[in-house]
Amino acid sequence: MSDNCIFCKIAAGTIPCGKVYEDDQVLAFRDIHPQAPVHVLVIPKRHIATLDDVQEVDRADMGHLLERTTHVARLLGVAEDGYRVIVNTRKHGGQEVYHIHVHLMAGKPLGPMLSR
Ligand code: 5GP
Ligand code: ZN
């Protein structure tokens, strides 16, 4: 756990969240400002600041994170129609919370990926 990391606090249960799935390694919860009808964040419980900080030893955990994201999509009934996953990384990626999180967005056609 990293001090002053809001997602570590959510993972530890000290800040409430709209939980949709949890196992011993990951937590999935509703984004507080949803950008799509379904907008869930999937995080590792262990603090890693950004995707770019992932190391070789984290490979299995990152695989688990992504595989569980597909599980959450099935749980929420959006897998068949499809969804988008995004991992914003650092300043130019638009990352606001420096604890790795996968955005899972779905529930309508999401349109082109980038707005100009
Ligand atoms: P980023 O821009 O870092 O990729 O995305 C961070 C996301 O976390 C944003 O979509 C924001 O709405 C969401 N978020 C920030 N703080 C909280 C919070 O306390 N609870 C929840 N559920 N979502 C949060
Ligand atoms: Zn953290």
Side-chain angles (χ1 to χ4, degrees), residues 42 65-75 79 83 85 104:
V42 191
L65 178 69
L66 204 52
E67 188 278 333
R68 287 293 86 186
T69 300
T70 73
H71 177 73
V72 171
R74 288 195 297 277
L75 273 183
Y83 51 87
V85 298
L104 167 62

Side-chain angles (χ1 to χ4, degrees), residues 50-107:
T50 84
L51 186 63
D52 196 61
D53 294 300
V54 167
Q55 306 287 312
E56 201 171 330
V57 294
D58 303 317
R59 275 183 182 171
D61 288 358
M62 291 300 104
H64 183 75
L65 178 69
L66 204 52
E67 188 278 333
R68 287 293 86 186
T69 300
T70 73
H71 177 73
V72 171
R74 288 195 297 277
L75 273 183
L76 296 176
V78 299
E80 190 172 334
D81 282 344
Y83 51 87
R84 181 171 291 164
V85 298
I86 297 174
V87 182
N88 294 325
T89 302
R90 296 192 177 142
K91 187 169 61 176
H92 284 192
Q95 185 173 3
E96 292 175 357
V97 177
Y98 276 66
H99 178 132
I100 287 185
H101 49 282
V102 176
H103 292 261
L104 167 62
M105 304 169 87

Side-chain angles (χ1 to χ4, degrees), residues 6-7 10 15-18 29-35 39 41 86-89 93-99 101 103:
I6 193 161
F7 285 0
I10 287 174
I15 291 178
C17 70
F29 55 95
R30 307 267 180 196
D31 195 293
I32 203 164
H33 293 126
Q35 307 289 316
H39 187 172
L41 303 173
I86 297 174
V87 182
N88 294 325
T89 302
Q95 185 173 3
E96 292 175 357
V97 177
Y98 276 66
H99 178 132
H101 49 282
H103 292 261

Side-chain angles (χ1 to χ4, degrees), residues 5 8 47 99:
C5 172
C8 279
H47 182 88
H99 178 132

